[in-house]
Each structure stands twice: as structure tokens, then as C-alpha cells.
Amino acid sequence: MGGHPGMFEPLKGGGAAVALDDIEISILRSLAVQLLELIGPGAPEPAEDADPLAALFAEGPSEPPSDPALARLFPDAYGGPSAEDEGADPAELKEWSAEFRRFTENDLRTRKREDALAVVRSLDALTPAGDGAAVLELTGELPLRWLGALNDLRLTIGARLDIAEDEESAQLYRLPDDDPRKPMVMAYLWLGGLQETLIETL
């Protein structure tokens, strides 16, 4: 990934900084743009004379997305094997999840889109230093926006690679170089390092 460890370090006075080279910047930007395309547009902008309360309760989808990556970004609120083990009725869980999704998915989609946009914008504002690397400084709400987007990117790539969220990444390190999944796996592990070091700075 270049001659420097692309990991976040704390900034004096709060926030986080990371040195990124041109390749890392273009990979991150491209991933964030793909994430934006995957998340898609949110609810349409309300008309000027629209009732703000109605917009607040505008209904979103009630079914989970069919794309496995989106299903991981917008999981069901209730359910899963543990809930069924506790004796909950699957039909009832499905109904609760549908209800919850209708009133929360649009907001969640908007937040995830804003996080991904924040990544694109802060990368676009970078000025490269003489050695081809640029230092990205995140302050204010940006570290949390980046954290959200990095997490979403890892979930998305994990779904594409069919990696269980708690799967041992040691297996991923051992992929042979000619495995077609290798570049995606390297991106997945690198994003994990960025996410972990960013959490440490917070």
C-alpha cells in the first residue's frame, strides 16, 4: 500500500489523521462512490408545501433488500436464530421487523449516504504533499462519519466475498496471490485496519 502504514493516528486537540498515497485515495474514493450507488437515492425531497410531519412518518420499504450486501447494511431489526431459540414466533418477528424497517430504513439510508459522501468530499479536498502522500485530517463530526462509512464498506465487501462477520481473517491472509478475490480481500483487511485505528483515536 506504499511506504507508510496507512493507519489513523490521534491529532493533538482531538480528531484523527492518516497519510494516504494516490492509490489509496483513489481506492477509498472509488469504494465510497460504489457504496453511494449501492445505497441509492433516499426518500425524494419533500415539496415546499409538504407537511413536515408527514415527511417524518413517510414509509420506507417493509421487506429486507434482496441484494446480500444491502441486506447486511440494512438488516432486520428483530429475528435471527437467537430470537427463534428464545421461543419467539417467526411470523411475529417478521411483522415487527417489517414495521420497524418501514419507519427507520429511509433515515438509515440517508445517514449512510451522508457518511459515504463525507468520505468522498474529504478525499476530494486533499492536497498531495511532495512525496505523493497527502495527510487527511478528520475533526468535528468527520471521524464518526468516516467510521460509519468504513464499517459499511467492510460489511459490503464482506457480503460480496461471503465472509461471515466474525470469520477468522487469518484464512483471508493465506489466499494465494492468483485467487481472484485477493484484491478485494486486501481492501477488506486494509479497511479493517483503518477502522480499528480510527476507533483507537476516538
Side-chain angles (χ1 to χ4, degrees):
M1 282 289 171
H4 61 276
M7 299 295 149
F8 279 100
E9 287 169 17
L11 272 177
K12 280 195 180 77
V18 62
L20 298 168
D21 63 29
D22 292 348
I23 294 171
E24 290 167 329
I25 292 168
S26 72
I27 290 172
L28 269 173
R29 191 183 188 287
S30 151
L31 287 172
V33 168
Q34 288 175 50
L35 181 62
L36 281 168
E37 286 167 3
L38 179 70
I39 293 167
E45 287 294 311
E48 279 181 34
D49 57 352
D51 174 0
L53 269 180
L56 190 64
F57 293 106
E59 291 191 8
S62 57
E63 283 297 310
S66 55
D67 182 318
L70 279 173
R72 215 175 264 196
L73 289 177
F74 302 104
D76 268 338
Y78 305 97
S82 59
E84 286 175 27
D85 291 347
E86 287 161 22
D89 170 17
E92 205 166 84
L93 288 173
K94 195 169 163 30
E95 204 174 304
W96 291 344
S97 288
E99 197 65 10
F100 188 79
R101 181 179 296 278
R102 277 190 12 233
F103 293 108
T104 58
E105 187 171 307
N106 284 347
D107 281 351
L108 192 57
R109 209 170 266 268
T110 301
R111 200 191 73 221
K112 287 180 183 298
R113 200 171 45 257
E114 283 169 359
D115 289 349
L117 267 173
V119 168
V120 173
R121 287 185 184 132
S122 37
L123 291 173
D124 285 349
L126 279 181
T127 43
D131 56 2
V135 176
L136 170 74
E137 296 193 348
L138 302 178
T139 53
E141 62 163 19
L142 277 176
L144 288 173
R145 292 245 173 246
W146 266 73
L147 207 51
L150 288 171
N151 189 51
D152 288 345
L153 284 172
R154 288 191 79 234
L155 286 174
T156 306
I157 295 175
R160 292 282 182 254
L161 290 167
D162 208 11
I163 300 167
E165 286 176 48
D166 49 4
E167 190 170 331
E168 199 40 61
S169 55
Q171 292 164 284
L172 297 175
Y173 281 108
R174 288 198 292 268
L175 276 185
D177 284 343
D178 58 2
D179 189 304
R181 294 172 302 166
K182 186 82 175 192
M184 226 177 186
V185 164
M186 296 309 290
Y188 179 80
L189 297 171
W190 174 54
L191 291 168
L194 284 174
Q195 188 182 5
E196 214 168 288
T197 53
L198 183 51
I199 289 170
E200 284 162 15
T201 67
L202 299 175

